[in-house]
Amino acid sequence: MRLEDIALHDLSIPYDSLKKDGQLTKQLQTLIAAAGVPVKGGADGIYGKNTLAAIQTFAAARGLPAGVVNKQFADALLGAPTVTPAVVTAVRTLTDADYTACATSLNCEVAAIRAVVDVESRGSGFLPDGRPKILFEALHFHRFTGGKYDKSHPNISSPVWKRSLYKGGAAEWGRLEEAAALDRTSAYKATSWGLFQIMGFNYQASGFQSVEDFVAAMKESEGAQLQAFANFVRNQKWDGFLRNRQWAMFAKRYNGPSYAQNHYDTKLADSYRKHLG
């Protein structure tokens, strides 16, 4: 069997059934890898824990039902854009030298930069599949589109902030893709990106001519994300708060007036002390 058959005949195949269908398994492995989700072991046609993990990652990222390969899954995978190897291999972990250079440019301590990374993205700007970490904000998408998608797409456009709309992790990409199909520029602006979770609408303050250029940099490397952060903080004149370890002042501007509800200031202070050690 092939994915085209599943899509055409509206079939539903439990994941475990893939153990008996090497042809379908190999097709899944090939297409999922091409879509940017690495499949450890390659396209060998053997269904095991590595293939299961890749299938689950792809499904979660696009908000697909878990446990089955059905028409919805087949349509999503067959229509998924191919991700070039460069997108995945561009991911680069920051070095001590990178942090030192950034801290020098902002005239603050390295521990202060590392604290922001810890709090905003838990130390990594990318997902395991090579895409940058993101968080899609339905409230901002509502604002940028004048609320015209509130009724037709309530899960991605909302006049009020709702925690329940977040899916987290790779699944946020499914929300972004849904919004981008309606209005790509507004969707990019309504999303926070990378190590420092900078909102797309801050692209100019981050040193870019367009939000498209900003997003391209967020996909490029952690180094590009770090440079965007340095530009953003300097242009907003918030570097003094980092320099003087004024965590509440920094958090109020970086995370918004409700920062205290999530204890951003105390988290920054705690992480700063950890990295001083």
Side-chain angles (χ1 to χ4, degrees), residues 35-276:
V37 180
V39 182
K40 189 175 181 180
D44 56 8
I46 300 173
Y47 176 81
K49 64 178 182 180
N50 294 327
T51 299
L52 173 61
I55 292 173
Q56 290 174 328
T57 297
F58 179 84
R62 288 156 179 79
L64 300 170
V68 295
V69 177
N70 57 10
K71 175 176 171 53
Q72 186 181 0
F73 185 105
D75 287 340
L77 185 52
L78 290 169
T82 299
V83 178
T84 62
V87 172
V88 176
T89 57
V91 178
R92 179 175 66 85
T93 301
L94 294 177
T95 65
D96 290 342
D98 292 324
Y99 279 108
T100 298
C102 181
T104 299
S105 72
L106 295 177
N107 192 24
C108 69
E109 296 169 280
V110 169
I113 307 296
R114 289 187 179 276
V116 179
V117 170
D118 284 351
V119 172
E120 293 298 323
S121 59
R122 298 182 182 179
S124 174
F126 288 87
L127 297 167
D129 61 19
R131 294 175 297 177
K133 287 184 177 179
I134 65 168
L135 194 64
F136 180 80
E137 299 287 355
L139 175 59
H140 287 304
F141 189 66
H142 158 86
R143 290 172 176 168
F144 292 130
T145 58
K148 64 181 178 180
Y149 299 113
D150 289 359
K151 291 184 178 180
S152 60
H153 296 76
N155 292 328
I156 59 169
S157 184
S158 172
V160 296
W161 181 82
K162 298 179 182 177
R163 184 183 297 276
S164 61
L165 295 181
Y166 295 125
K167 293 187 176 180
E172 288 295 315
W173 273 90
R175 302 179 69 217
L176 172 58
E177 290 167 357
E178 182 180 352
L182 302 172
D183 185 330
R184 186 167 70 175
T185 297
S186 293
Y188 284 174
K189 289 181 178 179
T191 303
S192 60
W193 298 83
L195 274 170
F196 300 94
Q197 288 298 288
I198 300 173
M199 292 297 304
F201 62 75
N202 288 314
Y203 67 90
Q204 287 182 309
S206 301
F208 298 90
Q209 295 297 313
S210 70
V211 71
E212 296 277 354
D213 291 342
F214 169 81
V215 170
M218 296 302 99
K219 293 180 178 180
E220 178 186 321
S221 68
E222 289 186 352
Q225 295 173 6
L226 180 66
Q227 184 59 58
F229 170 75
N231 292 338
F232 180 50
V233 170
R234 188 183 302 108
N235 286 331
Q236 297 294 89
K237 302 186 186 306
W238 297 342
D239 47 325
F241 300 135
L242 288 178
R243 187 176 310 125
N244 298 313
R245 300 177 296 283
Q246 294 173 291
W247 306 120
M249 297 290 284
F250 181 82
K252 181 178 180 179
R253 288 154 179 80
Y254 200 89
N255 301 107
S258 60
Y259 72 93
Q261 294 178 15
N262 292 308
H263 309 290
Y264 282 117
D265 54 335
T266 56
K267 290 177 182 176
L268 285 166
D270 290 344
S271 182
Y272 167 79
R273 285 192 292 269
K274 179 188 72 174
H275 288 295
L276 276 183

